[in-house]
């Protein structure tokens, strides 16, 4: 009985370490952005899953579930801000999350003609 519990603890610790290692690798590996500058829009009222899909459709993410898992692991799923964003350089998923959670969006200029 004691051997079984010991093995279960070892397997649990190993799985946790593997998961944490994969998450760190994903968070700090730069995204493959098709072209720079890259522009994308996050719609008002979007959930985390919806934001992940919007980023995938913009060509920034390969798998939306990885970004969703990263943000949920940080415990900040409700902090994403809607807006128009622009990437000038290569960025990691973690940096992308911080950008969209700060609301570091780009401004657009509109000219009204009389």
């Amino acid at each position: 009985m004691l051997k079984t519990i010991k093995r279960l603890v070892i397997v649990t610790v190993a799985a946790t370490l593997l998961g944490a290692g994969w998450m760190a690798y994903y968070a700090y590996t730069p995204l493959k952005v098709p072209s720079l500058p890259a522009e994308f829009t996050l719609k008002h009222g979007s959930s985390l899953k919806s934001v992940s899909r919007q980023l995938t459709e913009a060509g920034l993410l390969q798998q939306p579930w990885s970004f969703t898992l990263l943000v949920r692991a940080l415990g900040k799923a409700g902090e994403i801000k809607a807006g128009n964003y622009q990437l000038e350089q290569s960025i990691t998923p973690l940096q992308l999350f911080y950008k969209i959670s700060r609301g570091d969006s780009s401004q657009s200029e509109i000219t009204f003609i009389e």
Side-chain angles (χ1 to χ4, degrees):
M1 179 72 176
L2 191 58
K3 283 186 177 184
T4 306
I5 292 173
K6 190 175 181 179
R7 285 182 185 162
L8 183 61
V9 168
I10 290 173
V11 168
T12 304
V13 168
T16 303
L17 289 174
L18 268 170
W22 174 84
M23 185 65 67
Y25 172 78
Y26 174 74
Y28 292 105
T29 302
L31 296 170
K32 296 174 183 166
V33 181
S35 64
L36 293 173
E39 295 182 8
F40 61 96
T41 300
L42 299 181
K43 298 174 186 168
H44 183 71
S46 296
S47 66
L48 176 58
K49 285 185 179 183
S50 177
V51 166
S52 296
R53 273 181 290 190
Q54 290 172 44
L55 293 172
T56 302
E57 290 169 2
L60 299 174
L61 300 177
Q62 299 298 319
Q63 308 102 353
W65 63 268
S66 300
F67 187 76
T68 303
L69 187 63
L70 172 66
V71 175
R72 289 212 188 274
L74 294 172
K76 301 184 182 222
E79 295 185 16
I80 295 175
K81 310 241 182 329
N84 298 321
Y85 293 90
Q86 184 172 9
L87 301 178
E88 299 291 335
Q89 60 188 8
S90 183
I91 193 169
T92 66
L94 189 59
Q95 291 170 330
L96 177 62
F97 167 70
Y98 287 139
K99 182 176 186 73
I100 63 178
S101 66
R102 284 190 316 256
D104 189 13
S105 58
S106 60
Q107 299 287 326
S108 298
E109 185 176 315
I110 300 173
T111 304
F112 292 101
I113 301 173
E114 291 185 45

